[in-house]
Amino acid sequence: GQQLNQSPQSMFIQEGEDVSMNCTSSSIFNTWLWYKQEPGEGPVLLIALYKAGELTSNGRLTAQFGITRKDSFLNISASIPSDVGIYFCAGNTGANSKLTFGKGITLSVRP
Amino acid sequence: SAVISQKPSRDICQRGTSLTIQCQVDSQVTMMFWYRQQPGQSLTLIATANQGSEATYESGFVIDKFPISRPNLTFSTLTVSNMSPEDSSIYLCSVAQGSTEAFFGQGTRLTVV
């Protein structure tokens, strides 16, 4: 079945630093989504990408849909303590279709 | 995006009992899904809740263990039946409305003792 690969499992950065997270797949997706999950909460959608090569920003977050449609990255610039959480990538193949999730990356930000 | 409310937000249950989790959306949605997130793990799709018909279950999940109802376009329930400690997880309701984006409720944190 389809799988999304996210690594490393955890990242530790200093407040103010930029961080980049990658997500790769062995198969093609038509949509890439990035979610953030904080303790005790459900995942919150950060950015949605719909076209190969698309680059989208949401405040300090920037994400890109890879040209091959098999990868995506998420950048967080000038990190702050509230960026702490688990970042999941997810992909699907069409409207109303099932999402496939990566294993997530736990981000820690040192003040 | 739709506002999704799940009840209960958390529960501690005895093994052998069953728990029904409710998911209420503030607008009609096309698709409703139920996910399980085991401790420290990613999200695994349990089933797609179909309005007016039986849910569509993913491999490894069966109706007898996880019966699902969806009586209308804004409400669904997931029951975790005959619980064991291995069922301790976060259970998440998710909705999609004719798009490729999905939105999640806050989850139900279940502990089985």
Side-chain angles (χ1 to χ4, degrees):
Chain A
Q2 295 172 323
Q3 286 188 326
L4 292 180
N5 302 305
Q6 285 185 267
S7 64
Q9 192 173 356
S10 303
M11 299 181 80
F12 300 86
I13 61 174
Q14 198 75 34
E15 183 178 358
E17 288 182 342
D18 300 345
V19 63
S20 184
M21 304 177 190
N22 205 40
C23 185
T24 61
S25 170
S26 58
S27 54
I28 289 172
F29 287 95
N30 292 328
T31 302
W32 286 87
L33 307 170
W34 285 91
Y35 289 88
K36 178 188 178 186
Q37 186 178 28
E38 298 185 19
E41 301 292 327
V44 174
L45 182 63
L46 299 174
I47 291 181
L49 301 159
Y50 303 104
K51 290 192 301 187
E54 180 181 354
L55 185 71
T56 298
S57 293
N58 178 7
R60 292 178 296 105
L61 308 179
T62 302
Q64 184 157 31
F65 192 144
I67 291 292
T68 64
R69 293 199 284 156
K70 292 183 178 181
D71 66 309
S72 175
F73 71 75
L74 174 72
N75 282 347
I76 304 174
S77 63
S79 60
I80 58 178
S82 62
D83 290 332
V84 165
I86 306 175
Y87 290 81
F88 291 100
C89 64
N92 67 18
T93 55
N96 295 325
S97 65
K98 298 180 293 188
L99 279 177
T100 299
F101 279 84
K103 291 186 182 296
I105 294 175
T106 300
L107 180 66
S108 299
V109 179
R110 290 187 292 262
Chain B
S1 63
V3 176
I4 306 162
S5 301
Q6 272 186 246
K7 290 181 182 180
S9 59
R10 59 177 61 234
D11 208 342
I12 301 173
C13 300
Q14 296 290 323
R15 68 178 68 200
T17 63
S18 298
L19 176 71
T20 295
I21 302 167
Q22 298 180 359
C23 180
Q24 178 74 55
V25 192
D26 69 343
S27 58
Q28 292 186 343
V29 292
T30 309
M31 307 293 287
M32 295 182 79
F33 306 92
W34 286 98
Y35 286 83
R36 181 175 73 183
Q37 186 178 25
Q38 293 177 302
Q41 301 297 315
S42 186
L43 286 76
T44 301
L45 181 63
I46 297 172
T48 302
N50 300 310
Q51 194 266 328
S53 64
E54 195 170 284
T56 304
Y57 289 84
E58 297 300 303
S59 176
F61 297 96
V62 296
I63 188 171
D64 290 345
K65 176 67 177 178
F66 297 102
I68 287 171
S69 78
R70 189 176 175 195
N72 56 53
L73 293 176
T74 64
F75 186 77
S76 178
T77 66
L78 168 75
T79 299
V80 186
S81 303
N82 188 24
M83 289 183 284
S84 67
E86 292 70 35
D87 294 320
S88 298
S89 288
I90 301 172
Y91 292 87
L92 292 151
C93 171
S94 173
V95 305
Q97 178 57 5
S99 71
T100 53
E101 300 170 10
F103 301 93
F104 288 84
Q106 82 276 21
T108 297
R109 187 177 297 268
L110 171 63
T111 302
V112 183
V113 297

